Amino acid sequence: MRGAVYVNGTITPADTAVIPVLDHGFVYGEGVYEVIRTYSGVPFLYDRHVTRLRNSARYLHLDVPFDDETLRSWVDKTADTAALAGDTYIRILLTRGIGELTYEVRATPAPSVVIIVKPQDGAPARVRSDGIRISLVPILRNHPGSVNPIIKSNNLLNNALAMQEAHRRGSEEALMCNYRGELSECSQSNFFMVRDGVALTPKSAAGLLEGITRAFLFEVARELGVQMKDTTLVPADLEFADEVFITSTTREISPVVRIDDRVIGDGKPGSITLKLWDAYHRRALEMTSANVGQAR
Ligand code: PDD
């Protein structure tokens, strides 16, 4: 893999980076993370991602022993070492740390910090022209009373199992329900559907990750005059979907034209979806080119 990785102060090429086996992020899946991407070399909505990282850590009672500037300097140093042309994908991981095999937090006094910087490619052209197929999988999204989905946690078995089920069904993403049978989110993205010109997305109370892209899209929609609201959705509502799309930092917006065998609208990416995607991308370029001074 091209790129560079920072592990607790040491930066190496991506394919030689290592973490001790006794890291509780490895042995117990204890940790939180963020995925950020750059435009024109500038991390987009960086502050919002770092705020969410801190919020996620708070749910684990995990201290974050560094300030934002320090973290940014580690990210920049890692990006410098990676020296990648074009835009990058930045994954920041914070684990419980290295220590004895016990859940006793005193055994791991210092969290581990890992920063992965690798190339970020744009969406393949086919996504825009043809859209994608997703699957509504039987795997439920974690119950908020267990590993709450609002935590961007390294504990991703729920997500991986769902995505692998979708892959087995020939789809590119997995849409999940919560324990109440309501739609919540996908394994690596948030879910939206358009009905009668209004873009709808499940409420946070459904048990989901509050996506940075999802939140920013509400601002973009307001600027565009597209009605957007969060509401309770169930699988039966999919019948009335004129358009469907999913959102994430790495995807931006992906039009969904099929959910399993259900064709959405005319089976082509929807006009509201594409309008939102264009406006989102334009805003991302505007906001980052305004900060090109910060670029690496
Ligand atoms: N995933 N829901 C889940 C479960 C996610 O993992 C993600 C992001 C999102 C969208 O969040 P955002 O808009 O802040 O990227 C929703 C990242 C991209 C990942 O794990 O690779």
Side-chain angles (χ1 to χ4, degrees), residues 163-194:
M163 180 69 103
Q164 286 149 11
E165 180 58 30
H167 289 163
R168 278 191 290 275
R169 295 169 181 228
S171 290
E172 296 184 48
E173 237 305 13
L175 175 59
M176 291 177 269
C177 286
N178 65 15
Y179 65 104
R180 295 190 297 263
E182 301 157 353
L183 296 177
S184 74
E185 63 177 338
C186 296
S187 74
Q188 285 184 317
S189 54
N190 290 113
F191 176 85
F192 285 77
M193 61 175 264
V194 178

mmCIF file of all heavy atoms in Angstrom, residues 163-194:
data_model
loop_
_atom_site.group_PDB
_atom_site.id
_atom_site.type_symbol
_atom_site.label_atom_id
_atom_site.label_comp_id
_atom_site.label_asym_id
_atom_site.label_seq_id
_atom_site.Cartn_x
_atom_site.Cartn_y
_atom_site.Cartn_z
ATOM 1 N N MET A 163 -21.292 -5.666 5.738
ATOM 2 C CA MET A 163 -20.751 -5.402 4.391
ATOM 3 C C MET A 163 -20.458 -6.722 3.666
ATOM 4 O O MET A 163 -20.751 -6.863 2.474
ATOM 5 C CB MET A 163 -19.483 -4.546 4.488
ATOM 6 C CG MET A 163 -18.865 -4.216 3.155
ATOM 7 S SD MET A 163 -19.876 -3.073 2.178
ATOM 8 C CE MET A 163 -18.955 -1.547 2.445
ATOM 9 N N GLN A 164 -19.917 -7.691 4.384
ATOM 10 C CA GLN A 164 -19.594 -8.972 3.743
ATOM 11 C C GLN A 164 -20.863 -9.697 3.290
ATOM 12 O O GLN A 164 -20.871 -10.339 2.238
ATOM 13 C CB GLN A 164 -18.731 -9.816 4.695
ATOM 14 C CG GLN A 164 -17.303 -9.273 4.776
ATOM 15 C CD GLN A 164 -16.634 -9.488 6.116
ATOM 16 O OE1 GLN A 164 -17.112 -10.228 6.983
ATOM 17 N NE2 GLN A 164 -15.508 -8.788 6.333
ATOM 18 N N GLU A 165 -21.945 -9.524 4.042
ATOM 19 C CA GLU A 165 -23.221 -10.102 3.611
ATOM 20 C C GLU A 165 -23.689 -9.411 2.330
ATOM 21 O O GLU A 165 -24.151 -10.064 1.379
ATOM 22 C CB GLU A 165 -24.278 -9.946 4.717
ATOM 23 C CG GLU A 165 -25.639 -10.509 4.385
ATOM 24 C CD GLU A 165 -25.605 -12.008 4.045
ATOM 25 O OE1 GLU A 165 -24.725 -12.724 4.578
ATOM 26 O OE2 GLU A 165 -26.425 -12.439 3.185
ATOM 27 N N ALA A 166 -23.534 -8.101 2.279
ATOM 28 C CA ALA A 166 -23.918 -7.353 1.075
ATOM 29 C C ALA A 166 -23.080 -7.799 -0.119
ATOM 30 O O ALA A 166 -23.603 -8.012 -1.220
ATOM 31 C CB ALA A 166 -23.742 -5.858 1.314
ATOM 32 N N HIS A 167 -21.782 -7.981 0.093
ATOM 33 C CA HIS A 167 -20.903 -8.434 -0.999
ATOM 34 C C HIS A 167 -21.359 -9.798 -1.518
ATOM 35 O O HIS A 167 -21.418 -10.033 -2.726
ATOM 36 C CB HIS A 167 -19.444 -8.505 -0.522
ATOM 37 C CG HIS A 167 -18.833 -7.156 -0.297
ATOM 38 N ND1 HIS A 167 -17.668 -6.988 0.443
ATOM 39 C CD2 HIS A 167 -19.210 -5.912 -0.685
ATOM 40 C CE1 HIS A 167 -17.376 -5.698 0.503
ATOM 41 N NE2 HIS A 167 -18.285 -5.026 -0.182
ATOM 42 N N ARG A 168 -21.728 -10.690 -0.574
ATOM 43 C CA ARG A 168 -22.184 -12.016 -1.001
ATOM 44 C C ARG A 168 -23.449 -11.905 -1.856
ATOM 45 O O ARG A 168 -23.747 -12.753 -2.684
ATOM 46 C CB ARG A 168 -22.456 -12.924 0.217
ATOM 47 C CG ARG A 168 -21.219 -13.582 0.797
ATOM 48 C CD ARG A 168 -21.576 -14.666 1.818
ATOM 49 N NE ARG A 168 -22.140 -14.093 3.045
ATOM 50 C CZ ARG A 168 -21.405 -13.642 4.045
ATOM 51 N NH1 ARG A 168 -20.078 -13.645 3.941
ATOM 52 N NH2 ARG A 168 -21.976 -13.142 5.135
ATOM 53 N N ARG A 169 -24.196 -10.803 -1.662
ATOM 54 C CA ARG A 169 -25.433 -10.602 -2.437
ATOM 55 C C ARG A 169 -25.196 -9.738 -3.669
ATOM 56 O O ARG A 169 -26.143 -9.233 -4.271
ATOM 57 C CB ARG A 169 -26.476 -9.934 -1.535
ATOM 58 C CG ARG A 169 -26.911 -10.804 -0.365
ATOM 59 C CD ARG A 169 -27.739 -10.018 0.653
ATOM 60 N NE ARG A 169 -28.108 -10.875 1.776
ATOM 61 C CZ ARG A 169 -29.338 -10.958 2.278
ATOM 62 N NH1 ARG A 169 -30.308 -10.253 1.752
ATOM 63 N NH2 ARG A 169 -29.589 -11.752 3.297
ATOM 64 N N GLY A 170 -23.902 -9.495 -3.967
ATOM 65 C CA GLY A 170 -23.561 -8.739 -5.173
ATOM 66 C C GLY A 170 -23.737 -7.239 -5.038
ATOM 67 O O GLY A 170 -23.858 -6.525 -6.039
ATOM 68 N N SER A 171 -23.772 -6.761 -3.788
ATOM 69 C CA SER A 171 -23.971 -5.324 -3.573
ATOM 70 C C SER A 171 -22.724 -4.643 -3.029
ATOM 71 O O SER A 171 -21.801 -5.319 -2.566
ATOM 72 C CB SER A 171 -25.136 -5.114 -2.584
ATOM 73 O OG SER A 171 -26.357 -5.455 -3.200
ATOM 74 N N GLU A 172 -22.728 -3.295 -3.085
ATOM 75 C CA GLU A 172 -21.550 -2.529 -2.680
ATOM 76 C C GLU A 172 -21.665 -1.947 -1.283
ATOM 77 O O GLU A 172 -20.705 -1.366 -0.774
ATOM 78 C CB GLU A 172 -21.328 -1.368 -3.649
ATOM 79 C CG GLU A 172 -21.004 -1.819 -5.056
ATOM 80 C CD GLU A 172 -20.695 -0.646 -5.957
ATOM 81 O OE1 GLU A 172 -19.900 0.218 -5.558
ATOM 82 O OE2 GLU A 172 -21.280 -0.602 -7.041
ATOM 83 N N GLU A 173 -22.814 -2.018 -0.677
ATOM 84 C CA GLU A 173 -22.990 -1.506 0.684
ATOM 85 C C GLU A 173 -24.167 -2.246 1.327
ATOM 86 O O GLU A 173 -25.024 -2.804 0.638
ATOM 87 C CB GLU A 173 -23.269 -0.013 0.710
ATOM 88 C CG GLU A 173 -22.322 0.885 1.520
ATOM 89 C CD GLU A 173 -22.074 0.586 2.954
ATOM 90 O OE1 GLU A 173 -22.418 -0.520 3.465
ATOM 91 O OE2 GLU A 173 -21.514 1.463 3.620
ATOM 92 N N ALA A 174 -24.148 -2.224 2.648
ATOM 93 C CA ALA A 174 -25.152 -2.947 3.429
ATOM 94 C C ALA A 174 -25.988 -1.982 4.240
ATOM 95 O O ALA A 174 -25.454 -1.260 5.084
ATOM 96 C CB ALA A 174 -24.456 -3.921 4.370
ATOM 97 N N LEU A 175 -27.289 -1.957 3.977
ATOM 98 C CA LEU A 175 -28.215 -1.133 4.755
ATOM 99 C C LEU A 175 -28.727 -1.969 5.917
ATOM 100 O O LEU A 175 -29.129 -3.124 5.723
ATOM 101 C CB LEU A 175 -29.376 -0.677 3.870
ATOM 102 C CG LEU A 175 -30.516 0.095 4.518
ATOM 103 C CD1 LEU A 175 -30.021 1.375 5.180
ATOM 104 C CD2 LEU A 175 -31.603 0.411 3.479
ATOM 105 N N MET A 176 -28.689 -1.392 7.126
ATOM 106 C CA MET A 176 -29.100 -2.154 8.309
ATOM 107 C C MET A 176 -30.304 -1.527 8.995
ATOM 108 O O MET A 176 -30.502 -0.299 8.940
ATOM 109 C CB MET A 176 -27.939 -2.217 9.315
ATOM 110 C CG MET A 176 -26.777 -3.056 8.872
ATOM 111 S SD MET A 176 -25.431 -2.996 10.079
ATOM 112 C CE MET A 176 -24.477 -1.630 9.448
ATOM 113 N N CYS A 177 -31.054 -2.375 9.663
ATOM 114 C CA CYS A 177 -32.126 -1.897 10.551
ATOM 115 C C CYS A 177 -31.628 -1.919 11.983
ATOM 116 O O CYS A 177 -30.666 -2.616 12.300
ATOM 117 C CB CYS A 177 -33.350 -2.813 10.439
ATOM 118 S SG CYS A 177 -34.273 -2.612 8.914
ATOM 119 N N ASN A 178 -32.319 -1.184 12.829
ATOM 120 C CA ASN A 178 -32.011 -1.268 14.261
ATOM 121 C C ASN A 178 -32.909 -2.333 14.909
ATOM 122 O O ASN A 178 -33.734 -2.958 14.231
ATOM 123 C CB ASN A 178 -32.193 0.103 14.935
ATOM 124 C CG ASN A 178 -33.634 0.563 14.912
ATOM 125 O OD1 ASN A 178 -34.566 -0.207 14.653
ATOM 126 N ND2 ASN A 178 -33.849 1.849 15.161
ATOM 127 N N TYR A 179 -32.778 -2.482 16.209
ATOM 128 C CA TYR A 179 -33.507 -3.549 16.924
ATOM 129 C C TYR A 179 -35.019 -3.307 16.899
ATOM 130 O O TYR A 179 -35.807 -4.207 17.173
ATOM 131 C CB TYR A 179 -33.004 -3.635 18.381
ATOM 132 C CG TYR A 179 -33.314 -2.411 19.189
ATOM 133 C CD1 TYR A 179 -34.341 -2.407 20.123
ATOM 134 C CD2 TYR A 179 -32.609 -1.214 18.990
ATOM 135 C CE1 TYR A 179 -34.662 -1.266 20.842
ATOM 136 C CE2 TYR A 179 -32.926 -0.064 19.690
ATOM 137 C CZ TYR A 179 -33.954 -0.099 20.618
ATOM 138 O OH TYR A 179 -34.283 1.046 21.315
ATOM 139 N N ARG A 180 -35.459 -2.079 16.526
ATOM 140 C CA ARG A 180 -36.887 -1.773 16.457
ATOM 141 C C ARG A 180 -37.438 -1.981 15.035
ATOM 142 O O ARG A 180 -38.584 -1.681 14.752
ATOM 143 C CB ARG A 180 -37.155 -0.320 16.873
ATOM 144 C CG ARG A 180 -36.846 0.005 18.307
ATOM 145 C CD ARG A 180 -37.378 1.398 18.689
ATOM 146 N NE ARG A 180 -36.753 2.475 17.947
ATOM 147 C CZ ARG A 180 -35.726 3.207 18.393
ATOM 148 N NH1 ARG A 180 -35.210 2.931 19.573
ATOM 149 N NH2 ARG A 180 -35.206 4.166 17.665
ATOM 150 N N GLY A 181 -36.558 -2.470 14.127
ATOM 151 C CA GLY A 181 -37.008 -2.702 12.753
ATOM 152 C C GLY A 181 -37.031 -1.442 11.907
ATOM 153 O O GLY A 181 -37.576 -1.434 10.804
ATOM 154 N N GLU A 182 -36.413 -0.353 12.435
ATOM 155 C CA GLU A 182 -36.329 0.892 11.655
ATOM 156 C C GLU A 182 -35.008 0.919 10.888
ATOM 157 O O GLU A 182 -34.009 0.331 11.325
ATOM 158 C CB GLU A 182 -36.363 2.103 12.598
ATOM 159 C CG GLU A 182 -37.603 2.204 13.462
ATOM 160 C CD GLU A 182 -37.372 3.028 14.729
ATOM 161 O OE1 GLU A 182 -36.199 3.411 15.009
ATOM 162 O OE2 GLU A 182 -38.337 3.238 15.480
ATOM 163 N N LEU A 183 -34.991 1.619 9.761
ATOM 164 C CA LEU A 183 -33.735 1.776 9.023
ATOM 165 C C LEU A 183 -32.788 2.633 9.863
ATOM 166 O O LEU A 183 -33.209 3.613 10.484
ATOM 167 C CB LEU A 183 -34.003 2.437 7.675
ATOM 168 C CG LEU A 183 -34.870 1.662 6.692
ATOM 169 C CD1 LEU A 183 -35.109 2.478 5.423
ATOM 170 C CD2 LEU A 183 -34.231 0.313 6.338
ATOM 171 N N SER A 184 -31.507 2.249 9.914
ATOM 172 C CA SER A 184 -30.557 3.090 10.650
ATOM 173 C C SER A 184 -29.500 3.638 9.691
ATOM 174 O O SER A 184 -29.535 4.810 9.327
ATOM 175 C CB SER A 184 -29.929 2.338 11.818
ATOM 176 O OG SER A 184 -28.994 1.401 11.363
ATOM 177 N N GLU A 185 -28.559 2.849 9.281
ATOM 178 C CA GLU A 185 -27.514 3.340 8.387
ATOM 179 C C GLU A 185 -26.864 2.177 7.656
ATOM 180 O O GLU A 185 -27.255 1.019 7.842
ATOM 181 C CB GLU A 185 -26.453 4.097 9.192
ATOM 182 C CG GLU A 185 -25.735 3.240 10.202
ATOM 183 C CD GLU A 185 -24.632 3.996 10.947
ATOM 184 O OE1 GLU A 185 -24.151 5.017 10.409
ATOM 185 O OE2 GLU A 185 -24.269 3.546 12.042
ATOM 186 N N CYS A 186 -25.846 2.481 6.851
ATOM 187 C CA CYS A 186 -25.099 1.423 6.153
ATOM 188 C C CYS A 186 -23.822 1.118 6.918
ATOM 189 O O CYS A 186 -23.497 1.792 7.897
ATOM 190 C CB CYS A 186 -24.804 1.859 4.716
ATOM 191 S SG CYS A 186 -26.291 2.078 3.724
ATOM 192 N N SER A 187 -23.074 0.130 6.439
ATOM 193 C CA SER A 187 -21.896 -0.309 7.212
ATOM 194 C C SER A 187 -20.807 0.759 7.259
ATOM 195 O O SER A 187 -20.026 0.807 8.209
ATOM 196 C CB SER A 187 -21.320 -1.583 6.600
ATOM 197 O OG SER A 187 -20.640 -1.276 5.397
ATOM 198 N N GLN A 188 -20.705 1.617 6.276
ATOM 199 C CA GLN A 188 -19.674 2.666 6.247
ATOM 200 C C GLN A 188 -20.228 3.995 5.744
ATOM 201 O O GLN A 188 -19.454 4.851 5.279
ATOM 202 C CB GLN A 188 -18.538 2.264 5.305
ATOM 203 C CG GLN A 188 -17.608 1.198 5.836
ATOM 204 C CD GLN A 188 -16.459 0.949 4.878
ATOM 205 O OE1 GLN A 188 -16.661 0.884 3.662
ATOM 206 N NE2 GLN A 188 -15.261 0.804 5.403
ATOM 207 N N SER A 189 -21.550 4.181 5.822
ATOM 208 C CA SER A 189 -22.142 5.392 5.261
ATOM 209 C C SER A 189 -23.538 5.621 5.829
ATOM 210 O O SER A 189 -24.123 4.715 6.429
ATOM 211 C CB SER A 189 -22.225 5.262 3.730
ATOM 212 O OG SER A 189 -22.905 4.078 3.378
ATOM 213 N N ASN A 190 -24.034 6.848 5.675
ATOM 214 C CA ASN A 190 -25.398 7.159 6.104
ATOM 215 C C ASN A 190 -26.356 7.019 4.927
ATOM 216 O O ASN A 190 -25.953 7.092 3.770
ATOM 217 C CB ASN A 190 -25.452 8.583 6.691
ATOM 218 C CG ASN A 190 -24.747 8.672 8.018
ATOM 219 O OD1 ASN A 190 -23.708 9.330 8.126
ATOM 220 N ND2 ASN A 190 -25.265 8.001 9.027
ATOM 221 N N PHE A 191 -27.621 6.825 5.237
ATOM 222 C CA PHE A 191 -28.639 6.513 4.238
ATOM 223 C C PHE A 191 -29.620 7.660 4.076
ATOM 224 O O PHE A 191 -30.042 8.277 5.060
ATOM 225 C CB PHE A 191 -29.415 5.258 4.681
ATOM 226 C CG PHE A 191 -30.551 4.892 3.785
ATOM 227 C CD1 PHE A 191 -30.332 4.114 2.660
ATOM 228 C CD2 PHE A 191 -31.851 5.325 4.055
ATOM 229 C CE1 PHE A 191 -31.381 3.778 1.805
ATOM 230 C CE2 PHE A 191 -32.904 5.003 3.212
ATOM 231 C CZ PHE A 191 -32.658 4.236 2.086
ATOM 232 N N PHE A 192 -29.970 7.969 2.833
ATOM 233 C CA PHE A 192 -30.986 8.967 2.510
ATOM 234 C C PHE A 192 -31.931 8.408 1.444
ATOM 235 O O PHE A 192 -31.502 7.618 0.592
ATOM 236 C CB PHE A 192 -30.354 10.227 1.920
ATOM 237 C CG PHE A 192 -29.644 11.146 2.884
ATOM 238 C CD1 PHE A 192 -28.378 10.822 3.362
ATOM 239 C CD2 PHE A 192 -30.223 12.342 3.288
ATOM 240 C CE1 PHE A 192 -27.711 11.671 4.228
ATOM 241 C CE2 PHE A 192 -29.566 13.194 4.162
ATOM 242 C CZ PHE A 192 -28.312 12.861 4.641
ATOM 243 N N MET A 193 -33.184 8.825 1.497
ATOM 244 C CA MET A 193 -34.087 8.572 0.382
ATOM 245 C C MET A 193 -34.837 9.861 0.079
ATOM 246 O O MET A 193 -35.019 10.693 0.972
ATOM 247 C CB MET A 193 -35.057 7.423 0.644
ATOM 248 C CG MET A 193 -35.988 7.599 1.816
ATOM 249 S SD MET A 193 -37.209 6.252 1.948
ATOM 250 C CE MET A 193 -38.604 7.013 1.106
ATOM 251 N N VAL A 194 -35.230 10.050 -1.181
ATOM 252 C CA VAL A 194 -35.993 11.226 -1.588
ATOM 253 C C VAL A 194 -37.409 10.772 -1.901
ATOM 254 O O VAL A 194 -37.594 9.797 -2.639
ATOM 255 C CB VAL A 194 -35.368 11.913 -2.829
ATOM 256 C CG1 VAL A 194 -36.216 13.118 -3.249
ATOM 257 C CG2 VAL A 194 -33.926 12.338 -2.548
#
